[in-house]
Amino acid sequence: MNALRIAGLTVTRGAGPVIRDVDLTLEPGRITALVGPNGAGKTSLLEAVSGVVPAAAGTIHIGPDEITKHSRVARARRGLAHIEQGRAVFGGLTVLENLMLTARTRARVDELFDLFPELEKRRDSPAALLSGGEQQMVVLARAFAVRPSFLLIDEMSLGLAPVVFTRLLPLVTRFAEEGAAILLVEQFTHLALGAATDALVVSSGRVTYAGGAQELLASPSTLHAAYLGS
Ligand SMILES: Nc1ncnc2c1ncn2[C@@H]1O[C@H](COP(=O)(O)OP(=O)(O)O)[C@@H](O)[C@H]1O
Ligand SMILES: [Mg+2]
């Protein structure tokens, strides 16, 4: 399977660049934790990769093909999925109906239920009645229904307790084991690094650490310095 390669990516919003000269490669089976302070540019980076916002400079390739100027839909067709920050369920629809929106066939939903047995028990409940953690599980399942090669996840823990988020992480690991390349933006830095193979820290739009996730986890002083941008 192909890798997704980002080189020299710069994203401009309003007054100036919010992401500057970022290099990053997402490979099948690997989970990259993207962490950094609020306002560092994490969401903007994901949005440029999926095509929500244009890149001001730099290139994005999937395998040999450049996709920098491709539409969102064209990128999705190439296997790129983006769970946007604050993405929610359709509360008035049942769990099954939510999943059918992307899975399209009942057979495909049944495959998802094998991965998410907790959701099968709530199959006919309106999604609004699920707990926050269960709702995020629906959001994850909906994104995974199309078997994306590249999955960008922006703060799925928003509003969740760490213990609830801890139950979602094994699913992300499972997706990677099935061959997806994952970019995971997370406020629970230590939990994200614990589940990740690689880490990228951004501070004020610049990469301040790129390397192994476990190495970063083992060096609090490196993590601290990267957050501060030094
Ligand atoms: N739609 C927008 N218009 C103008 N500026 C924005 C917009 N979205 C984000 N920004 C600015 O871009 C910078 C990076 O924001 P963001 O990518 O949301 O960071 P993070 O996800 O790391 O918190 C911030 O300074 C933010 O104020
Ligand atoms: Mg954000």
Side-chain angles (χ1 to χ4, degrees), residues 176-196:
E177 284 167 0
E178 294 192 7
I182 292 169
L183 183 58
L184 180 66
V185 173
E186 226 358 278
Q187 50 165 339
F188 296 130
T189 308
H190 289 83
L191 292 176
L193 290 174

mmCIF file of all heavy atoms in Angstrom, residues 176-196:
data_model
loop_
_atom_site.group_PDB
_atom_site.id
_atom_site.type_symbol
_atom_site.label_atom_id
_atom_site.label_comp_id
_atom_site.label_asym_id
_atom_site.label_seq_id
_atom_site.Cartn_x
_atom_site.Cartn_y
_atom_site.Cartn_z
ATOM 1 N N ALA A 176 -5.284 0.484 12.444
ATOM 2 C CA ALA A 176 -3.889 0.490 11.957
ATOM 3 C C ALA A 176 -3.433 -0.934 11.658
ATOM 4 O O ALA A 176 -2.791 -1.184 10.634
ATOM 5 C CB ALA A 176 -2.985 1.148 12.985
ATOM 6 N N GLU A 177 -3.805 -1.862 12.520
ATOM 7 C CA GLU A 177 -3.411 -3.258 12.296
ATOM 8 C C GLU A 177 -4.015 -3.805 11.012
ATOM 9 O O GLU A 177 -3.442 -4.676 10.365
ATOM 10 C CB GLU A 177 -3.846 -4.130 13.478
ATOM 11 C CG GLU A 177 -2.955 -3.952 14.698
ATOM 12 C CD GLU A 177 -3.562 -4.558 15.964
ATOM 13 O OE1 GLU A 177 -4.687 -5.119 15.912
ATOM 14 O OE2 GLU A 177 -2.919 -4.435 17.009
ATOM 15 N N GLU A 178 -5.168 -3.261 10.643
ATOM 16 C CA GLU A 178 -5.794 -3.688 9.390
ATOM 17 C C GLU A 178 -5.217 -2.948 8.187
ATOM 18 O O GLU A 178 -5.690 -3.105 7.069
ATOM 19 C CB GLU A 178 -7.313 -3.517 9.481
ATOM 20 C CG GLU A 178 -7.899 -4.458 10.521
ATOM 21 C CD GLU A 178 -9.407 -4.560 10.477
ATOM 22 O OE1 GLU A 178 -10.040 -4.006 9.557
ATOM 23 O OE2 GLU A 178 -9.961 -5.215 11.384
ATOM 24 N N GLY A 179 -4.211 -2.086 8.428
ATOM 25 C CA GLY A 179 -3.475 -1.493 7.315
ATOM 26 C C GLY A 179 -3.699 -0.015 7.074
ATOM 27 O O GLY A 179 -3.111 0.554 6.158
ATOM 28 N N ALA A 180 -4.533 0.640 7.899
ATOM 29 C CA ALA A 180 -4.735 2.075 7.710
ATOM 30 C C ALA A 180 -3.533 2.852 8.250
ATOM 31 O O ALA A 180 -2.862 2.400 9.177
ATOM 32 C CB ALA A 180 -6.006 2.524 8.432
ATOM 33 N N ALA A 181 -3.267 4.002 7.635
ATOM 34 C CA ALA A 181 -2.275 4.948 8.164
ATOM 35 C C ALA A 181 -3.066 6.021 8.905
ATOM 36 O O ALA A 181 -4.015 6.580 8.350
ATOM 37 C CB ALA A 181 -1.488 5.575 7.022
ATOM 38 N N ILE A 182 -2.703 6.285 10.158
ATOM 39 C CA ILE A 182 -3.548 7.151 10.984
ATOM 40 C C ILE A 182 -2.783 8.360 11.508
ATOM 41 O O ILE A 182 -1.645 8.240 11.955
ATOM 42 C CB ILE A 182 -4.142 6.326 12.142
ATOM 43 C CG1 ILE A 182 -5.129 5.311 11.545
ATOM 44 C CG2 ILE A 182 -4.843 7.235 13.146
ATOM 45 C CD1 ILE A 182 -5.605 4.270 12.464
ATOM 46 N N LEU A 183 -3.442 9.519 11.406
ATOM 47 C CA LEU A 183 -2.919 10.744 12.014
ATOM 48 C C LEU A 183 -3.905 11.158 13.090
ATOM 49 O O LEU A 183 -5.052 11.477 12.816
ATOM 50 C CB LEU A 183 -2.753 11.843 10.947
ATOM 51 C CG LEU A 183 -2.133 13.164 11.422
ATOM 52 C CD1 LEU A 183 -0.753 12.945 12.033
ATOM 53 C CD2 LEU A 183 -2.030 14.157 10.263
ATOM 54 N N LEU A 184 -3.441 11.110 14.331
ATOM 55 C CA LEU A 184 -4.321 11.259 15.493
ATOM 56 C C LEU A 184 -3.986 12.545 16.242
ATOM 57 O O LEU A 184 -2.930 12.649 16.866
ATOM 58 C CB LEU A 184 -4.108 10.037 16.411
ATOM 59 C CG LEU A 184 -4.899 9.931 17.696
ATOM 60 C CD1 LEU A 184 -6.387 9.747 17.413
ATOM 61 C CD2 LEU A 184 -4.384 8.762 18.538
ATOM 62 N N VAL A 185 -4.893 13.521 16.164
ATOM 63 C CA VAL A 185 -4.731 14.754 16.942
ATOM 64 C C VAL A 185 -5.446 14.562 18.269
ATOM 65 O O VAL A 185 -6.607 14.151 18.298
ATOM 66 C CB VAL A 185 -5.348 15.966 16.204
ATOM 67 C CG1 VAL A 185 -5.324 17.202 17.094
ATOM 68 C CG2 VAL A 185 -4.605 16.225 14.913
ATOM 69 N N GLU A 186 -4.755 14.851 19.353
ATOM 70 C CA GLU A 186 -5.324 14.542 20.661
ATOM 71 C C GLU A 186 -4.892 15.527 21.737
ATOM 72 O O GLU A 186 -3.740 15.914 21.790
ATOM 73 C CB GLU A 186 -4.856 13.127 21.060
ATOM 74 C CG GLU A 186 -5.871 12.235 21.583
ATOM 75 C CD GLU A 186 -7.249 12.803 21.723
ATOM 76 O OE1 GLU A 186 -7.454 13.478 22.746
ATOM 77 O OE2 GLU A 186 -8.129 12.595 20.877
ATOM 78 N N GLN A 187 -5.816 15.894 22.585
ATOM 79 C CA GLN A 187 -5.482 16.736 23.741
ATOM 80 C C GLN A 187 -4.890 15.892 24.877
ATOM 81 O O GLN A 187 -4.097 16.399 25.669
ATOM 82 C CB GLN A 187 -6.726 17.480 24.224
ATOM 83 C CG GLN A 187 -7.926 16.556 24.407
ATOM 84 C CD GLN A 187 -9.060 17.163 25.210
ATOM 85 O OE1 GLN A 187 -8.857 18.101 25.971
ATOM 86 N NE2 GLN A 187 -10.254 16.623 25.052
ATOM 87 N N PHE A 188 -5.289 14.620 24.956
ATOM 88 C CA PHE A 188 -4.705 13.748 25.984
ATOM 89 C C PHE A 188 -3.369 13.211 25.442
ATOM 90 O O PHE A 188 -3.263 12.088 24.955
ATOM 91 C CB PHE A 188 -5.637 12.590 26.342
ATOM 92 C CG PHE A 188 -6.933 13.030 26.956
ATOM 93 C CD1 PHE A 188 -8.149 12.558 26.469
ATOM 94 C CD2 PHE A 188 -6.956 13.912 28.039
ATOM 95 C CE1 PHE A 188 -9.349 12.966 27.041
ATOM 96 C CE2 PHE A 188 -8.160 14.318 28.614
ATOM 97 C CZ PHE A 188 -9.352 13.846 28.103
ATOM 98 N N THR A 189 -2.360 14.073 25.552
ATOM 99 C CA THR A 189 -1.067 13.822 24.913
ATOM 100 C C THR A 189 -0.496 12.450 25.271
ATOM 101 O O THR A 189 -0.073 11.695 24.393
ATOM 102 C CB THR A 189 -0.071 14.913 25.350
ATOM 103 O OG1 THR A 189 -0.679 16.169 25.099
ATOM 104 C CG2 THR A 189 1.241 14.807 24.602
ATOM 105 N N HIS A 190 -0.492 12.136 26.561
ATOM 106 C CA HIS A 190 0.171 10.900 26.977
ATOM 107 C C HIS A 190 -0.579 9.658 26.493
ATOM 108 O O HIS A 190 0.040 8.672 26.116
ATOM 109 C CB HIS A 190 0.372 10.887 28.490
ATOM 110 C CG HIS A 190 1.425 11.861 28.915
ATOM 111 N ND1 HIS A 190 1.148 13.199 29.096
ATOM 112 C CD2 HIS A 190 2.753 11.711 29.123
ATOM 113 C CE1 HIS A 190 2.275 13.829 29.415
ATOM 114 N NE2 HIS A 190 3.255 12.949 29.451
ATOM 115 N N LEU A 191 -1.904 9.747 26.487
ATOM 116 C CA LEU A 191 -2.692 8.609 25.990
ATOM 117 C C LEU A 191 -2.445 8.421 24.492
ATOM 118 O O LEU A 191 -2.268 7.296 24.023
ATOM 119 C CB LEU A 191 -4.183 8.832 26.255
ATOM 120 C CG LEU A 191 -4.619 8.810 27.726
ATOM 121 C CD1 LEU A 191 -6.108 9.146 27.837
ATOM 122 C CD2 LEU A 191 -4.325 7.461 28.353
ATOM 123 N N ALA A 192 -2.416 9.526 23.768
ATOM 124 C CA ALA A 192 -2.208 9.444 22.315
ATOM 125 C C ALA A 192 -0.817 8.894 22.009
ATOM 126 O O ALA A 192 -0.659 8.010 21.162
ATOM 127 C CB ALA A 192 -2.399 10.826 21.679
ATOM 128 N N LEU A 193 0.196 9.410 22.710
ATOM 129 C CA LEU A 193 1.564 8.935 22.456
ATOM 130 C C LEU A 193 1.690 7.457 22.819
ATOM 131 O O LEU A 193 2.403 6.705 22.153
ATOM 132 C CB LEU A 193 2.582 9.759 23.265
ATOM 133 C CG LEU A 193 2.772 11.208 22.817
ATOM 134 C CD1 LEU A 193 3.697 11.943 23.783
ATOM 135 C CD2 LEU A 193 3.330 11.273 21.393
ATOM 136 N N GLY A 194 0.965 7.058 23.856
ATOM 137 C CA GLY A 194 1.026 5.660 24.286
ATOM 138 C C GLY A 194 0.497 4.712 23.224
ATOM 139 O O GLY A 194 0.964 3.577 23.106
ATOM 140 N N ALA A 195 -0.465 5.180 22.424
ATOM 141 C CA ALA A 195 -1.061 4.322 21.387
ATOM 142 C C ALA A 195 -0.346 4.465 20.054
ATOM 143 O O ALA A 195 -0.573 3.679 19.139
ATOM 144 C CB ALA A 195 -2.540 4.684 21.216
ATOM 145 N N ALA A 196 0.522 5.478 19.930
ATOM 146 C CA ALA A 196 1.101 5.819 18.628
ATOM 147 C C ALA A 196 2.455 5.152 18.406
ATOM 148 O O ALA A 196 3.135 4.759 19.358
ATOM 149 C CB ALA A 196 1.248 7.337 18.506
#
